[in-house]
Amino acid sequence: MWLAGLHLGWVSFTVLLLVIAGLVRTDRRAAEGNARTMAVPAAAVPENDVAAARQDDLSAIAAVLGALDAPALLISARETVKLQNRAAEAVFGAIPLGSDLAGRIRAPGILDMVREALATGQPRETEHAERLPSETVYVVRIAPLAEKSGEPLWLLTFRDVSQARRIDRMRSDFIANASHELRTPLASLRGFIETLQGPAKNDTKAHERFLGIMHEQATRMSRLVDDLLSLSRLELRSNVAPDQTVDLVPLIAHVRDSLQPLASELGVDIVLDLPAHPVSVTGERDELVEVFENLIENGCKYGQDGKRVDVALTGGTDGAPVEVSVRDYGPGIPPEHVPRITERFYRVNVEASRSKKGTGLGLAIAKHILTRHKARLVVRSEVGKGTVFTVKF
């Protein structure tokens, strides 16, 4: 789908060139027609009229560039800036007209491309990445536009492809991680099946032990596939905002009741702090149940040493924002891991996660659901003192 977006970007760029070139050609033909009609030599045209016509052309081009949402600069063959649209001003700041391009754009790759295009008279294109304030990738293109009194004009455009690059990277990471997660249980199943068919064919005790492990590995794969399907469904509906009204008070109480057997098995108390009045948000009930089940279950499993998980619901009256916090008193999360724990398949401790039957997708699912609900997940943790997950609506 992003490929279609890229093609659309180039179509828009081509249309822009045709429109501007058409404006220039129209003005030139009109001027030539007037010259033939009046039989006045070109040299006899007053300089003020030439300058005025030139300014009209630049004004028309400026109007077209101003309609673009991509940064664009009109430059001369001497690498001076003739025009700058609003999108370019937002990225590079105001560039004084007539100033040298290299004074504002310091990227050697872009400047080399511009000089090569000016020398050859042919369009050129390069990819440029900015690291600060955030990673941004541009496809930078320069193409000849028209000539005014013997001076060529060139259009320099910047097309932001950061989102496409991120999607590419995410897709490749996802495929690599998913295949790795499935490969391990599949290898275990294959090994046990071969053992049961061979050396342990008549060993009843081995049958019981191996079948138990095989069932565990098959269940793990089933959980992983269910989570992957859940993520896929969420991505398909990511742009569809929920329209139901959900009261969080009974919802959180329901989640606590459903997780009570697990909490009792782990020796953890789930303590609720809920207001007496309803606290309603716009959302989809089943998805919000999944979010809070993930957060509270993680608190019980990974904060088991603290023996307690506190769930507090605040806000919802007098315009106060609604917040739900889930706090455990376990070992906490090292600070270098906190920014990445909502990534797919990311685990602070791989062995601990697998031993607790985690797929590494729970928090990624929660984040996707909250994004669809226009909410966000804030994580605060201190090693040795536990972790707080706060959902802010």
Side-chain angles (χ1 to χ4, degrees):
M1 191 165 181
W2 63 272
L3 284 173
L6 293 183
H7 291 313
L8 182 59
W10 284 124
V11 171
S12 301
F13 176 74
T14 304
V15 170
L16 169 67
L17 291 180
L18 293 174
V19 170
I20 295 177
L23 287 171
V24 174
R25 284 197 298 270
T26 300
D27 289 343
R28 182 179 295 158
R29 288 169 183 167
E32 291 173 352
N34 290 337
R36 285 193 298 270
T37 300
M38 299 175 66
V40 178
V45 177
E47 290 185 5
N48 289 342
D49 291 346
V50 174
R54 213 177 277 162
Q55 186 59 43
D56 288 344
D57 288 343
L58 289 177
S59 297
I61 295 172
V64 176
L65 294 185
L68 291 179
D69 59 356
L73 302 172
L74 190 68
I75 64 174
S76 71
R78 293 170 294 175
E79 299 182 40
T80 58
V81 178
K82 292 291 188 181
L83 287 175
Q84 173 188 28
N85 68 354
R86 286 188 292 270
E89 186 173 343
V91 174
F92 306 112
I95 302 177
L97 300 186
S99 62
D100 190 69
L101 180 68
R104 178 63 67 177
I105 297 178
R106 306 296 179 92
I110 295 177
L111 295 176
D112 288 344
M113 178 199 68
V114 169
R115 287 162 189 158
E116 183 182 352
L118 296 180
T120 62
Q122 297 299 318
R124 289 290 184 269
E125 179 180 297
T126 188
E127 190 168 290
H128 173 70
E130 292 282 352
R131 301 298 177 189
L132 296 174
S134 61
E135 185 177 3
T136 307
V137 182
Y138 292 103
V139 171
V140 187
R141 178 179 171 82
I142 185 169
L145 191 59
E147 292 189 4
K148 306 297 291 180
S149 301
E151 180 185 20
L153 294 177
W154 295 76
L155 186 64
L156 183 66
T157 57
F158 296 77
R159 185 160 48 89
D160 190 344
V161 294
S162 308
Q163 184 66 16
R165 295 294 182 269
R166 279 193 288 269
I167 291 173
D168 275 347
R169 197 161 53 242
M170 183 176 67
R171 182 184 294 113
S172 60
D173 289 346
F174 176 75
I175 292 172
N177 286 319
S179 61
H180 174 74
E181 291 292 329
L182 287 169
R183 187 183 297 117
T184 303
L186 281 172
S188 297
L189 285 174
R190 181 176 178 178
F192 287 126
I193 291 171
E194 290 174 352
T195 303
L196 290 174
Q197 289 176 332
K201 186 174 183 179
N202 298 315
D203 190 336
T204 305
K205 292 183 178 179
H207 283 196
E208 293 179 359
R209 183 162 61 89
F210 290 165
L211 287 173
I213 298 173
M214 291 167 66
H215 181 268
E216 181 181 330
Q217 294 296 327
T219 304
R220 176 184 166 189
M221 284 194 296
S222 178
R223 286 196 305 268
L224 181 59
V225 170
D226 288 343
D227 284 350
L228 289 173
L229 291 174
S230 180
L231 268 176
S232 297
R233 285 193 296 268
L234 289 170
E235 288 174 345
L236 289 174
R237 296 188 298 167
S238 60
N239 296 324
V240 181
D243 55 4
Q244 302 175 17
T245 299
V246 181
D247 185 356
L248 293 180
V249 175
L251 184 147
I252 293 174
H254 164 74
V255 172
R256 190 273 308 270
D257 293 342
S258 65
L259 291 175
Q260 195 61 54
L262 172 67
S264 299
E265 181 182 336
L266 297 173
V268 176
D269 291 328
I270 302 175
V271 181
L272 301 185
D273 181 9
L274 304 177
H277 57 82
V279 178
S280 297
V281 297
T282 301
E284 189 168 313
R285 186 181 185 279
D286 290 344
E287 290 187 357
L288 291 176
V289 166
E290 188 171 4
V291 168
F292 296 117
E293 279 184 346
N294 268 318
L295 296 180
I296 297 174
E297 183 176 347
N298 281 352
C300 293
K301 287 180 177 180
Y302 302 107
Q304 180 180 359
D305 295 344
K307 303 297 182 182
R308 171 175 171 153
V309 173
D310 292 335
V311 184
L313 171 60
T314 59
T317 57
D318 300 326
V322 176
E323 295 186 1
V324 181
S325 62
V326 179
R327 178 173 184 172
D328 68 63
Y329 299 87
I333 303 171
E336 65 270 20
H337 294 290
V338 171
R340 300 191 60 190
I341 58 173
T342 57
E343 294 179 11
R344 300 175 184 188
F345 299 110
Y346 189 83
R347 296 179 173 96
V348 176
N349 186 318
V350 175
E351 293 305 321
S353 174
R354 288 178 178 169
S355 67
K356 297 178 187 299
K357 302 179 181 179
T359 63
L361 293 171
L363 290 178
I365 291 173
K367 184 180 177 180
H368 270 71
I369 293 173
L370 294 177
T371 299
R372 179 172 178 251
H373 283 69
K374 302 297 187 291
R376 60 195 180 101
L377 181 64
V378 179
V379 184
R380 291 186 293 107
S381 186
E382 189 174 348
V383 175
K385 295 187 178 180
T387 304
V388 182
F389 289 88
T390 304
V391 176
K392 298 188 176 186
F393 290 93

